[in-house]
Amino acid sequence: MSRSGSFLVLERISGSAPRTLRFEGSRWFRFMDRVYSPRPVHQLPPEQVRELCELRLARSDLLIDDRLYEKVVRELTATAAAHIGSPGTILDFGTGDGRAIPFYRAAFADSRIHGCDMSAASLRRRDARAQVVQISGDGPLPFRGGTIDLVLAAFVFHFSLPVPLLAEIPRVLRADGALVASVYGPLVPSLASLLRAGGLELVRLRQVGAVPGHFVFTATPAGDGRPE
């Protein structure tokens, strides 16, 4: 066990790690397989979300399961392709280092792909061929209203997004556009109400095959797209 900023990392693992543990007199909560957080990750403030994402990328050889990642992103991409066909413009929301973009390009070869993320450190690792911008935890997204056909978000909605930032998604989407994203863990039961607060309507939710606890969902602008 090692300490990395606000988080703990299991350097070695044998079997299934406990969901919670006691360390230095405090209770810690497991995230994925090897990271422990001082609180459930869906309760982390934006600055700790950014720190955790940067930790996972810095230690990606240990902390990111490439096979699981690929299964989830392929399911997300296939769901998006079935829903929207050939989008003109795609936003990779929470792009990180851009590792999902090659999957998106393979499916949407003619689409323009933009990326955004809160973490400058993550963006420095990005796929250099994508146009990316840094955003704050409360937005806004630097795109004109109604200009994005498809927003994709892989491994973003296991965190609780601030409503002002979430509400930017229906603002930038075209009227017939969609958000297609993955979600994991305790946010699944409250996903519909979270999306509704940001002006989105959940229209589909399906578990990723052979990846327990991971789901892909589709949401569209609700009514006029304004948050409740």
Side-chain angles (χ1 to χ4, degrees), residues 16-92:
S16 179
R19 292 185 179 275
T20 64
L21 57 76
R22 301 291 297 184
F23 183 77
E24 296 181 346
S26 299
R27 188 183 184 195
W28 294 74
F29 301 84
R30 194 185 76 198
F31 173 62
M32 301 300 186
D33 292 328
R34 291 179 175 265
V35 176
Y36 281 87
S37 169
R39 66 185 77 181
V41 294
H42 64 283
Q43 297 177 8
L44 291 175
E47 60 271 16
Q48 286 187 322
V49 170
R50 181 167 52 247
E51 181 187 351
L52 176 55
C53 292
E54 291 174 358
L55 169 62
R56 293 185 71 236
L57 290 177
R59 306 280 316 267
S60 61
D61 57 331
L62 181 69
L63 301 181
I64 295 180
D65 182 331
D66 289 331
R67 288 179 297 178
L68 182 151
Y69 185 92
E70 181 173 343
K71 286 179 181 178
V72 172
V73 172
R74 286 192 182 280
E75 180 71 23
L76 186 157
T77 305
T79 299
H83 181 85
I84 206 165
S86 300
T89 304
I90 294 171
L91 174 61
D92 182 14

Side-chain angles (χ1 to χ4, degrees), residues 207-222:
Q207 182 168 322
V208 178
V211 188
H214 290 265
F215 295 78
V216 167
F217 70 87
T218 303
T220 55

